[in-house]
Amino acid sequence: MKKSSGSAADKKRVRRSSAPDPTSDAPPRKQVVKKDVFQVFAEKVRDHKELVSRWAVLQETRVEYFRGKDFVSFLKNHPELKDVLESDRNLETEEIASILLAKNLLVRCDRVVKTVRPGKKKLSTWPAHLEIFPEQVFSENDAFFAWTFVKRHPLWQTLLSFFWPVLTLAICLFPVYPHRCKLLILYSCAGILFLILSLLLIRGTIFGALYIILGKRIWFFPNILAEEATLRELFRFWPKKDEEEKPKWTTRLFYAGVAVLFILLLRHHAPDEAARARYQKRVSNIIDDVLEWSPTLALSGMMDKQQNVANATGSADASKNGPEDAAPADGDDAKDFMEQDNNTEEVINDVDDDKHHD
């Protein structure tokens, strides 16, 4: 009996010692959840600048994708990225890609348009529209792979997201800005707009001239109007290689005639100097009205309108009731009214005197 009671007491002591002490100030230990090494590897590979990638539309969603052969060559040039995988660092590139596909970090895609467009020799290197490939297996031959996880936004994008509402509010408050600020904003926006339109016009003129004279399709700033291009690709100056067939001389001659006809029509319907001056004056008046507007002028204009309405209403009532029922004016208005009556009487007397003399 004593042994059994002693063993029961020992069990109670063990339970009490294993239970957490509520009086202690030490915080409870949280179990650290280790992040998946393949997730970390995928994030590092995606953030690396030397992996060539593009943006495309996959089932009405914009995704970032790369080619299978670019992924293989990238890991050959940067084997140090495999150190993130720890025990799996010795895996082959195909095996790593298969694990990424199995963990739904990647999805294999295929181009939507699988036929060569008329006038081109081969399919597009980077298609703008993709679809999910039936077999999710890694391949280097004409295979595309899109990232499925959301990329971490850098700090400047987070700050920019807070800046947009401030910019919107600043645009709405443009009418109450000082005159110098209005001039600065107006000329800056006009200069940027003029630069964009001039760039597009020069770009189109160079393309048309080279197309008609040499039969080559050369677009400087080839991605300036592309929707899926990144900011770096958007301002790329050097044109892409012309992969299409050379146009026929009849086609080039036809477009040359259209260009000459268009220039002649513009010259024929160009406004003369008087019309240009009138249009310039009208535009300058509109700009002056916008720049010179202020809340003070707006409020004074509203008060003037109310005063004019009140004067018109008073004169209408006076004309209905007659001059004898009209309310006497006070102050400066009364003086002006008396002076007008005296001037009227003087004019009438002068006319009567002239009649008597006649």
Side-chain angles (χ1 to χ4, degrees):
M1 294 294 292
K2 291 182 179 180
K3 291 181 179 180
S4 62
S5 62
S7 62
D10 293 337
K11 289 180 180 179
K12 288 182 180 179
R13 288 174 185 171
V14 172
R15 289 175 183 174
R16 288 175 184 175
S17 62
S18 62
D21 188 6
T23 59
S24 63
D25 296 334
R29 295 181 179 178
K30 294 182 180 179
Q31 188 177 0
V32 180
V33 179
K34 192 174 182 180
K35 197 171 183 179
D36 187 10
V37 292
F38 285 94
Q39 175 75 30
V40 178
F41 173 78
E43 292 176 357
K44 285 185 173 294
V45 171
R46 186 176 183 179
D47 293 337
H48 207 284
K49 296 180 179 180
E50 294 190 13
L51 178 62
V52 183
S53 62
R54 294 290 188 276
W55 288 86
V57 178
L58 175 64
Q59 295 180 350
E60 300 181 356
T61 304
R62 295 187 74 247
V63 294
E64 186 180 7
Y65 74 100
F66 57 89
R67 298 182 297 181
K69 60 181 181 180
D70 294 334
F71 184 74
V72 174
S73 61
F74 171 76
L75 288 183
K76 285 182 180 179
N77 297 330
H78 300 280
E80 68 277 1
L81 293 175
K82 293 183 180 181
D83 296 338
V84 182
L85 301 177
E86 298 175 355
S87 60
D88 297 326
R89 65 170 63 93
N90 296 323
L91 293 176
E92 297 293 332
T93 304
E94 291 78 5
E95 296 175 347
I96 295 174
S98 300
I99 294 175
L100 294 177
L101 290 170
K103 291 180 175 291
N104 293 326
L105 297 173
L106 285 178
V107 60
R108 183 175 175 179
C109 307
D110 193 11
R111 60 178 79 243
V112 175
V113 180
K114 300 178 179 61
T115 57
V116 181
R117 290 188 300 174
K120 288 205 169 185
K121 300 178 182 179
K122 60 180 182 179
L123 293 172
S124 176
T125 306
W126 297 97
H129 297 273
L130 299 173
E131 61 183 4
I132 297 178
F133 195 72
E135 298 179 1
Q136 294 297 312
V137 182
F138 182 78
S139 176
E140 299 183 36
N141 302 323
D142 198 27
F144 305 99
F145 299 90
W147 301 106
T148 57
F149 59 90
V150 180
K151 188 177 180 180
R152 291 180 301 175
H153 295 288
L155 180 60
W156 68 270
Q157 289 187 0
T158 305
L159 296 177
L160 189 63
S161 63
F162 288 102
F163 176 72
W164 281 122
V166 178
L167 179 61
T168 304
L169 182 61
I171 293 173
C172 295
L173 295 177
F174 174 80
V176 299
Y177 285 174
H179 188 73
R180 291 184 178 179
C181 294
K182 290 181 180 179
L183 287 177
L184 178 63
I185 294 173
L186 177 65
Y187 289 125
S188 300
C189 295
I192 294 173
L193 182 61
F194 178 76
L195 178 64
I196 294 173
L197 294 178
S198 301
L199 176 63
L200 295 178
L201 181 61
I202 296 172
R203 177 174 175 263
T205 304
I206 294 175
F207 173 83
L210 294 178
Y211 181 84
I212 294 173
I213 298 173
L214 303 178
K216 293 184 178 181
R217 303 171 181 87
I218 299 176
W219 284 107
F220 292 97
F221 293 101
N223 300 323
I224 195 68
L225 300 176
E227 297 180 357
E228 66 277 0
T230 59
L231 189 62
R232 182 183 301 175
E233 297 172 354
L234 195 65
F235 296 100
R236 189 165 66 94
F237 173 76
W238 197 248
K240 297 180 181 179
K241 185 178 180 181
D242 188 11
E243 299 177 352
E244 301 182 10
E245 296 179 357
K246 191 173 182 178
K248 300 178 180 180
W249 66 271
T250 53
T251 306
R252 294 158 56 188
L253 187 62
F254 170 75
Y255 282 114
V258 171
V260 172
L261 182 62
F262 180 72
I263 294 173
L264 291 177
L265 287 175
L266 289 179
R267 186 176 179 181
H268 178 72
H269 294 283
D272 54 0
E273 188 65 24
R276 188 196 61 80
R278 288 196 304 270
Y279 181 74
Q280 182 180 0
K281 185 177 180 181
R282 189 184 307 170
V283 172
S284 63
N285 291 335
I286 295 174
I287 294 175
D288 291 339
D289 292 340
V290 174
L291 294 177
E292 295 175 0
W293 186 93
S294 65
T296 306
L297 293 176
L299 292 175
S300 62
M302 293 174 61
M303 297 300 294
D304 293 340
K305 287 182 180 179
Q306 291 180 359
Q307 187 174 1
N308 293 333
V309 171
N311 293 336
T313 306
S315 61
D317 294 339
S319 61
K320 289 181 181 178
N321 298 331
E324 66 277 359
D325 295 334
D330 49 347
D332 296 335
D333 294 338
K335 292 180 181 179
D336 295 338
F337 184 73
M338 294 297 294
E339 290 178 357
Q340 290 178 0
D341 288 343
N342 293 332
N343 293 332
T344 305
E345 290 178 358
E346 291 177 359
V347 171
I348 293 174
N349 292 330
D350 293 338
V351 172
D352 292 339
D353 293 340
D354 293 338
K355 289 181 179 179
H356 288 303
H357 288 298
D358 294 337

